Amino acid sequence: MTKNNPIGIFDSGIGGTTIWREINLLMPNENTMYIGDQLYAPYGVRPKQEIVELSCKNIDYLLSLDCKIIVVACNTATTMAIAEMRAKYNVPIIGIEPAIKPATILSKTSKIGILATKGTITSDFFASKVKQYPETQIIEQIGFELVTLIETGRLHSPEMIDLLRSYLNPMVEQGIDTLVLGCTHYPYLIPIIETLIPSDIKIIDSGRAVAKQTRKVLEELDLLTTRDGLGRSCFYSNTDVTILKSFVPEASVVEYRDF
């Protein structure tokens, strides 16, 4: 493994591009390789063993591209499969989880809402995190169909607005003052969400924290790049790349790959 090898990032689709963007902002000299497993999106409705198998397939492909670290830019894959991934591979693996801790710190009412996939909310990993905050009322909501709408180019559709309103209104009525977005796709929904909830409700996600943790691990392992110029950002999907391209117009490469 060399310092100038790329950072590998994967997600079930385009959601992890929100994580890539934070990593690229923080470490613009690093090369990055991103794979969106769009053929199998969304992960949130799949059983645990299938998510483990899909995650390992993605890591195998990123390692074939000589990636020096793997960022699991998917909440579902992290909550359902991070232990199996770390046990199998001798490479640093960064996971992502809903930002419950910072939300509890920010909240003044001790009432926070979490919008996430079924795979995340029903996982043992997520349940163990929630138990750490018994003094906080955590209102969970599964975002059924939200990922599918984003992946199929219907981000601003009337159906999306109706679904979000049905998910958010009950949390607002219960008095949340902080909303956690527990899926890497969901930051793309922030402009819509802001029109549907009171302006004093804080919206947070884990993107910046994941980027900082990735840099921290690279520093500890002495694997930060020595390159001076801007890094090359390559994105691969195992289905049509049209929608992926629209989310990362600044990418160096966006291509179809069979992984």
Side-chain angles (χ1 to χ4, degrees):
M1 198 67 65
T2 69
K3 295 181 179 182
N4 293 329
N5 283 26
I7 295 171
I9 307 167
F10 81 84
D11 180 37
S12 64
I14 60 90
T17 58
T18 60
I19 303 298
W20 165 80
R21 188 159 279 110
E22 294 289 350
I23 289 173
N24 193 51
L25 284 170
L26 190 63
M27 297 175 284
N29 297 336
E30 295 282 354
N31 289 330
T32 54
M33 297 287 180
Y34 179 100
I35 62 175
D37 196 15
Q38 291 179 278
L39 189 62
Y40 298 96
Y43 281 5
V45 297
R46 297 184 181 277
K48 175 181 172 66
Q49 187 54 40
E50 186 176 7
I51 293 169
V52 171
E53 292 169 359
L54 290 170
S55 298
C56 290
K57 175 205 66 169
N58 295 334
I59 292 178
D60 287 339
Y61 192 81
L62 289 171
L63 292 180
S64 77
L65 300 175
D66 297 322
C67 292
K68 62 186 176 183
I69 190 170
I70 304 297
V71 178
V72 184
C74 175
N75 290 83
T76 300
T78 298
T79 55
M80 299 288 273
I82 193 69
E84 289 82 355
M85 287 185 271
R86 286 176 172 158
K88 181 175 181 178
Y89 297 99
N90 186 28
V91 63
I93 297 176
I94 307 296
I96 180 172
E97 60 187 71
I100 300 175
K101 181 177 180 179
T104 60
I105 294 171
L106 285 173
S107 178
K108 295 180 179 178
T109 63
S110 293
K111 293 182 180 181
I112 68 173
I114 298 180
L115 184 64
T117 67
K118 179 181 178 181
T120 292
I121 286 179
T122 61
S123 68
D124 293 338
F125 182 95
F126 179 79
S128 69
K129 296 295 180 182
V130 170
K131 287 180 181 178
Q132 294 176 16
Y133 305 96
E135 303 303 318
T136 301
Q137 182 180 351
I138 298 176
I139 302 162
E140 304 163 12
Q141 173 62 56
I142 297 173
F144 293 108
E145 295 300 317
L146 298 182
V147 170
T148 299
L149 289 174
I150 295 170
E151 290 286 336
T152 53
R154 291 177 284 171
L155 176 61
H156 299 287
S157 65
E159 184 179 1
M160 176 69 83
I161 295 171
D162 289 343
L163 279 176
L164 283 173
R165 184 178 287 113
S166 71
Y167 298 153
L168 296 170
N169 282 353
M171 290 193 280
V172 171
E173 290 169 1
Q174 292 181 68
I176 66 166
D177 67 351
T178 309
L179 175 66
V180 176
L181 302 182
C183 172
T184 55
H185 285 73
Y186 295 174
Y188 286 119
L189 299 173
I190 290 175
I192 303 173
I193 292 173
E194 288 178 335
T195 69
L196 299 174
I197 64 175
S199 59
D200 58 345
I201 295 179
K202 304 175 186 67
I203 304 172
I204 62 174
D205 66 84
S206 304
R208 187 170 301 177
V210 172
K212 289 181 177 178
Q213 178 64 12
T214 303
R215 183 177 64 180
K216 180 176 180 288
V217 172
L218 290 174
E219 287 174 342
E220 291 172 348
L221 298 174
D222 194 25
L223 284 176
L224 285 171
T225 186
T226 58
R227 298 176 67 257
D228 292 327
L230 293 178
R232 183 176 173 82
S233 301
C234 299
F235 293 77
Y236 306 118
S237 173
N238 49 8
T239 187
D240 184 273
V241 300
T242 302
I243 293 175
L244 178 58
K245 281 183 176 180
S246 71
F247 279 92
V248 286
E250 68 271 53
S252 303
V253 173
V254 183
E255 293 180 352
Y256 168 84
R257 293 286 177 91
D258 184 16
F259 49 81

